[in-house]
Amino acid sequence: MRAETVTAVDISRAALASAWLNYRLRGIAVELVLGDFAATLGHRRFDVVLANPPYVPSPDGPHARGRACA
């Protein structure tokens, strides 16, 4: 199954540049948007939303290594 349209949003210019290059090399059309998801896209509606949240260190708890960090 393929999506009719894809919109990628990130606050990082470097992440969007990397995504642009990867999509371009694969011949996939994607709308790339720089900014915060809610603030940038306003009231647009999507059928599916996927997220890759950042890893944020925790002030308490053991300091995990490797795969345990995820």
Side-chain angles (χ1 to χ4, degrees), residues 1-41:
M1 180 180 252
R2 293 184 155 237
E4 187 173 316
T5 62
V6 174
T7 302
V9 182
D10 207 300
I11 60 172
S12 165
R13 288 184 191 277
L16 285 179
S18 177
W20 177 85
L21 180 61
N22 282 311
Y23 289 125
R24 180 79 178 206
L25 289 172
R26 287 161 183 76
I28 301 170
V30 175
E31 175 189 12
L32 299 174
V33 179
L34 176 65
D36 173 78
F37 181 87
T40 306
L41 298 176

